[in-house]
Structure formats: C-alpha cells, structure tokens
Amino acid sequence: MLMLGLMCALPAISTDMYLPSLPDVARDLNTSATAAQLTMTAMLIGGAVGQLVIGPLSDRFGRRKPVLIGVVLHVITSLLCAIAPAIVPLIALRSVQGFFNASATVVAMAIIRDRFVGADASRLMSRLMLVIGVAPLFAPSLGGVIAGQWGWRSVFLALAVFGVVLWVVVWRRLPETLPPERRRQGGLRTALSGYRSLVTDRHFVALAILPGLGMAVLMSYVVASPFVLREGYGLSSTAFSLLFAVNGLGLVLGAQVNAALVRRVAPIRIVRVVLPVSLGLTGVLLALAITGWGGLIALLVVLWLILALVNFVPPNASALALSRHGEIAGTAAAVIGSMQAGVAGLVSPLSGLLGGDAVAMAAVMVGASVAALLVLALATPAYRRDGAWAV
C-alpha cells in the first residue's frame, strides 16, 4: 500500500512541491499569475490524456512495463522543465510531465481492482489517500525551502530525484498482478471497444465524473491559495506552507474516517450524504469571502472542513465505478483518472480568470459542488428508493 500510495502521489508531489514557486515563476519569466497557473492546468490535462492512452496499454502489456517506462520519462521531463527558458515551453513540458505521471496513477488503481472489489476496494483507496495526503503536509514546505535556497528551477531537479527513487522501488517491489491469460489482445480497435462499453454505461460515466468534480474543489484551492493567502492576506511563504500542511492534515483525516466508515456503510450512501454537506459548506465559504465576516480565521476554518470532506467522494465513487467493469480495469481506471484530471484541469483556472481572490476561489468551489450533486441526483439512482443498487 505504501508503494501504491507513492505511485498515486507522484502527480500530487509534482504539483505541491512546485506550488509555492508560482509567484516566483510569474516574476522570473515575466508573465501573469494566470499564465503561471496554466502550468498547473497543463499538467492536469496532460494527465487526463495520458491515462486514456496508458490505461489500455496496461490491460494489454501488464502493469509493470507501463509504469516503469512512464516514470523514466517523468525524470527526463522534470530535467527539461528545470531549464525551460519561458512560460510557453514550461507549460508544454508540464503537460508532457502530467502525461507520463499518469502511468503511475492508472496502474496503481488497476492493481487494486485486480485484487479487490466494492467496499474492500473503497477502503484500500482511502488508505492510499493517507500516503497521498502526506504530500500536502511536507511537499510545499520542502519545495519552498529548495526554491528559497536554489531557485524554483531546483524544484524540478528534486522531482527528478524522486522519480529515480520511485522507479527503483517499483522495479524491485511491484508484482505483476495481471497474468498473460487475463490480458486483452489486440490494438487500437480493442481499446476503442473497451472505451465504447464504458461511455455507454450511464451509471459508470456519472460515477467516473464525481471524482473529477471533487478534485475540482480541491484544485481550485490548490491553484488559487498562493495568491489568495500570500498576496491577498499577506502571509509569508513559511506561514503559507504551514497552513497548507494543516489543510493537508484535514485531507488525510477525512480519508481515514472514510476508510473506517465504509466498513459499516455502503459507499453510495456515504457519497449521497457528503455531497449536500459539501455544497452547504462551500456556500458558507462564498458568503464569508464576500462579506469578510470573521476575517481570515473564519475563512480558514470553513475551508478546512471543506477539504476534510473532499476525500469522501473519490474513493467511493471510483470503487463503485470500477466494480462495474473489472474485466477492463486498466481502461476503466484510465477513464476515471482522465475525467478526474481533465475536469479538475478545466475548472481550476477559473478562479484566476475570475479575479484570483477569495471570492473567485469560493465561487468555483460552489459551482463544482452544485455540478457534483446534480450528476449524482440525475444520472444515478442514489436518491431514489432503489438507491441501494450498489450496496
């Protein structure tokens, strides 16, 4: 689980270590805050595309080869990011980095589905969130220290080193969980047929979208927080990293509560309770941002509660979606992961376009929460009398 968590955390670490450097990147490359934020968006979109490509490859060639090749290319791309001369090449390289990082994430999810289903899979995915959640606790502080000593480009050198360590661990410790007799034969036509069966399953599509909308809430905070907290409220880099770590603790605690709760409560029932609560909290956050009532403290308290609920939706929705198509777990995981990264990537820069302040950040969170609740209510039977279809 630790190894799978590190694999899943590769995109998060690549994001969080770089996050405190966004204002410095904008100044050093003589560009706007919105353009600097696009380096984050590009990585998410690259990850979405990468998962769609790598997922079927893992069903065809097994789990080990795609991740080993992908991590090597992550290392190479990180080194190229470190020498990027301008913002446009950096945006392009970050999209490529996201593409190759996707190999680690999609393979980790497929391995879980190879061995577990239902509540067991949901519980294990929540345990993964413990490892993934450590990234916000330490990565921004580490990235801030590295950038403060040697500049923001050195952060990418550190990401390359992490990639090398991860590759060695995977090479030595990752078992092959998809034996040859279970692999899907064929090329592009086989992959497309798998995607066709997935996108025509309305319930699968709805469940696959929910992690992306949940991630959109998180990424709206991640992308906007350096400008909201550092420039809007005047926090230092150290204070920002500390607050980011505290919020990361909320993510970890939420994931672990979900892992314990799913032993007694069906995943679909957890999702249908958490989404309305999340919508209410994001509405409160928007009201606080508009009125300024309670100042920074009130804003941070409500924000922590929102982030603590974020990890209740993706593990449960992902496990439910994967349980519907276990025979093509890699392809199904690719669709879920690509929607998660793609939706979050498309939504997260909206806060910058809307002004980049606390009101813009909260408004995007409200929009994502409304969309998630509508998807669950309209495209699944979660709120109907027969809503226990996935107990």
Side-chain angles (χ1 to χ4, degrees):
M1 293 307 299
L2 177 60
M3 178 178 58
L4 293 179
L6 289 175
M7 290 166 59
C8 283
L10 181 60
I13 291 173
S14 298
T15 296
D16 295 333
M17 282 190 67
Y18 169 74
L19 186 62
S21 300
L22 278 178
D24 299 329
V25 170
R27 286 191 296 269
D28 187 42
L29 298 182
N30 194 27
T31 188
S32 64
T34 300
Q37 289 175 340
L38 285 177
T39 61
M40 306 283 285
T41 302
M43 183 177 171
L44 291 172
I45 294 175
V49 176
Q51 295 199 52
L52 290 176
V53 174
I54 297 168
L57 291 176
S58 73
D59 285 334
R60 172 66 179 85
F61 298 105
R63 309 305 185 200
R64 280 177 55 87
K65 289 181 182 178
V67 69
L68 288 172
I69 295 173
V71 174
V72 166
L73 294 174
H74 156 82
V75 172
I76 295 172
T77 308
S78 298
L79 296 175
L80 293 175
C81 285
I83 59 174
I87 191 65
V88 172
L90 183 59
I91 292 172
L93 287 169
R94 286 286 277 178
S95 67
V96 176
Q97 187 179 48
F99 182 96
F100 295 131
N101 283 356
S103 64
T105 302
V106 72
V107 167
M109 288 185 62
I111 287 173
I112 289 179
R113 181 56 188 86
D114 287 340
R115 295 188 171 182
F116 303 96
V117 295
D120 288 334
S122 179
R123 185 171 64 253
L124 290 172
M125 287 184 182
S126 293
R127 297 304 184 195
L128 287 184
M129 297 299 169
L130 174 62
V131 182
I132 298 171
V134 171
L137 294 178
F138 299 105
S141 299
L142 180 60
V145 170
I146 292 173
Q149 292 292 323
W150 300 287
W152 63 267
R153 296 179 186 275
S154 61
V155 172
F156 289 108
L157 299 179
L159 290 175
V161 172
F162 176 78
V164 171
V165 173
L166 179 62
W167 188 92
V168 172
V169 172
V170 169
W171 174 62
R172 296 194 61 180
R173 304 295 300 177
L174 182 69
E176 179 56 71
T177 59
L178 189 66
E181 61 271 17
R182 289 176 51 198
R183 297 176 188 177
R184 285 170 63 85
Q185 302 302 315
L188 180 61
R189 180 175 299 180
T190 301
L192 292 177
S193 69
Y195 282 125
R196 188 180 303 113
S197 67
L198 294 173
V199 299
T200 54
D201 181 348
R202 186 183 69 173
H203 291 164
F204 172 84
V205 172
L207 291 168
I209 290 174
L210 290 179
L213 292 171
M215 186 60 64
V217 173
L218 175 61
M219 290 305 299
S220 299
Y221 155 74
V222 168
V223 172
S225 59
F227 301 96
V228 171
L229 298 177
R230 289 190 61 185
E231 299 185 1
Y233 286 92
L235 296 183
S236 65
S237 177
T238 301
F240 168 77
S241 297
L242 179 61
L243 282 175
F244 205 81
V246 171
N247 288 332
L249 181 61
L251 291 169
V252 172
L253 291 176
Q256 298 318 296
V257 170
N258 178 71
L261 188 62
V262 80
R263 292 177 179 271
R264 296 182 296 275
V265 183
I268 191 65
R269 292 175 177 170
I270 295 174
V271 173
R272 68 183 182 183
V273 170
V274 166
L275 285 181
V277 175
S278 297
L279 176 57
L281 287 173
T282 56
V284 172
L285 183 71
L286 179 59
L288 292 177
I290 293 173
T291 63
W293 185 87
L296 178 61
I297 298 299
L299 192 77
L300 291 176
V301 169
V302 177
L303 184 61
W304 190 91
L305 293 174
I306 292 170
L307 296 176
L309 291 179
V310 163
N311 277 334
F312 279 82
V313 175
N316 293 311
S318 298
L320 290 168
L322 284 170
S323 68
R324 299 178 67 86
H325 295 277
E327 73 283 359
I328 47 173
T331 305
V335 172
I336 297 169
S338 66
M339 286 190 177
Q340 183 168 329
V343 171
L346 292 174
V347 171
S348 58
L350 292 180
S351 59
L353 296 176
L354 294 175
D357 57 5
V359 173
M361 179 182 71
V364 174
M365 289 182 173
V366 169
S369 299
V370 168
L373 188 58
L374 288 176
V375 167
L376 185 68
L378 300 179
T380 76
Y383 290 109
R384 303 172 198 165
R385 289 188 176 181
D386 60 343
W389 58 276
V391 171

